Amino acid sequence: MPFFTNDAVVFGLLIVVLALIFWTSSLQSRFWKKFYLFVPALLLCYFVPALLKWPLNLVSGEVSRLYFVASQYMLPAALILLCVGIDFKGIIRMGPKAIIMFLAGTFGIIIGGPISLWFMKTFAPGLIPIEMNELWRGMSTIAGSWIGGGANQTAMKEIFEVPDNIFGIMIVVDVIVASVWMGVLLFSATLRERVNRFLKADNTAILELERNMENYTASVKKIPTTTDVFIMLAVAFGGVALAHWGADVIVPALEIYRPQLLDLRLHSLLSGFFWLIVIATTFGLLLSFTRARQLEGVGATRWGSVFIYILVATIGMKMDLEAIFQKENAGLFLLGIVWMLVHVFFMLLIAKLIKAPLFFVAVGSQANVGGAASAPIVASAFNPSLASVGALMAVLGYALGTYGAYISALLMEWVASL
């Protein structure tokens, strides 16, 4: 049991941590400027709460309900606020490379499962104390999570009848490997120029979108009044209410088609969170074509970013750093790392071939591995105005998750039988 169990205390502690991180990152001293040159503030917002969980044992993501609040209320509000000022035409002008890199990431995960299973069978056969027939079934749930999300992961558990004890172990591997990879992606934002030179990438469209957003913000910027703030919050949380209401209506309506949807592997359509993200993102994008776009001038992106940072802290609080050092999980973590490396290698290969910038690599990867809760976070590490790109790509992951994971599972079954 953690030292602090009252969520009011935990929330206050997280806000103090976030404030200290951003305060020190704003200092002009030589030490802090050099420190934040190598360690992004967003990365600290993620890992410091993980340290508060272990080894300090001050908080626990399992005991706290803050992640639920942040993901159900703050995330859709952030998506609306970050989308409302977006230059949608600018996103379209970025071309097909974003979708290509997302699909490359999906393919890397599909083939990464059987390749990592073959690797462990060939080079470390005794390192994983799980029978092969159970191992590939358990791995199917990771594939579901890394391509789509929680709904797709649960779908794989049901389809392949994964035992609860194996499912629990796979969740640990999923969360730890994906969490560490997210940290790498956040750090990669500081290396974008070097990586883009290596990839010989054309970053023009992304820079133009960032520039257009910054120019538009400057043109409508003003000191917000209390009325302005309330109007902005009404748009954000009114949209959250609409998204929740829509999800509450749509999911029960689709329940009568559950057998047909399950046969078509469309489990995500029965997920309330899927519809919550889709409706919130769509609402924000529609508002970007109206006068509501002027909310950018009173800090829509800034408030959206604040909500995202709070979400980052609650995700970090759920990360179990202690599990990384447990001997019995060593083989499974090696399996997960090899799997992730295949995914990364394939993405970088395709990025090199089509000269895609690092932004598309990072967001395409996180849209697969992390989904809608974290793809906007990685996009924000490059520029807050690009968060909506991550949200749009993550929604595509929900649609493909079960199909991709099912194909990967069949390939893993074949490798396990060799």
Side-chain angles (χ1 to χ4, degrees), residues 155-387:
M156 290 300 102
K157 179 183 185 299
E158 298 302 322
I159 290 171
F160 294 107
E161 300 177 349
V162 180
D164 288 340
N165 61 320
I166 301 296
F167 185 55
I169 295 171
M170 293 302 163
I171 287 177
V172 173
V173 177
D174 165 19
V175 171
I176 296 297
V177 175
S179 297
V180 172
W181 176 236
M182 180 177 165
V184 173
L185 291 177
L186 293 176
F187 178 74
S188 75
T190 64
L191 307 174
R192 73 188 87 175
E193 292 181 7
R194 272 185 255 177
V195 176
N196 285 338
R197 281 197 298 270
F198 167 75
L199 296 173
K200 297 181 179 177
D202 181 8
N203 207 28
T204 307
I206 295 173
L207 293 176
E208 184 184 352
L209 179 61
E210 292 179 3
R211 195 161 47 247
N212 288 344
M213 282 295 301
E214 289 167 0
N215 291 339
Y216 180 76
T217 301
S219 70
V220 296
K221 189 174 183 180
K222 65 175 183 176
I223 298 174
T225 64
T226 303
T227 301
D228 292 329
V229 173
F230 269 116
I231 290 173
M232 181 183 65
L233 293 177
V235 168
F237 288 100
V240 172
L242 176 66
H244 275 276
W245 176 76
D248 290 344
V249 170
I250 292 171
V251 173
L254 291 177
E255 278 293 333
I256 60 176
Y257 303 106
R258 174 178 282 270
Q260 294 92 322
L261 291 173
L262 296 183
D263 287 341
L264 293 171
R265 315 295 182 204
L266 295 175
H267 300 74
S268 295
L269 296 183
L270 299 171
S271 165
F273 188 71
F274 167 78
W275 289 109
L276 175 64
I277 298 304
V278 168
I279 295 171
T281 303
T282 304
F283 182 68
L285 288 173
L286 290 175
L287 287 178
S288 71
F289 294 98
T290 71
R291 288 181 60 191
R293 193 179 180 212
Q294 294 180 9
L295 289 173
E296 184 62 30
V298 296
T301 295
R302 185 167 61 250
W303 276 94
S305 298
V306 168
F307 293 152
I308 287 287
Y309 289 124
I310 293 172
L311 174 64
V312 171
T314 62
I315 293 175
M317 196 170 60
K318 290 168 65 67
M319 183 177 174
D320 190 0
L321 290 174
E322 186 179 12
I324 297 175
F325 302 100
Q326 293 178 356
K327 272 187 182 179
E328 59 269 27
N329 291 330
L332 289 170
F333 283 128
L334 178 59
L335 174 76
I337 291 169
V338 172
W339 192 344
M340 188 63 73
L341 287 176
V342 173
H343 162 75
V344 175
F345 172 79
F346 192 75
M347 289 204 77
L348 289 175
L349 175 64
I350 299 300
K352 182 73 172 174
L353 290 175
I354 67 172
K355 298 181 180 179
L358 177 63
F359 173 76
F360 289 150
V361 177
V363 177
S365 175
Q366 195 61 29
N368 276 287
V369 177
S374 55
I377 295 170
V378 171
S380 292
F382 289 80
N383 192 300
S385 64
L386 300 175

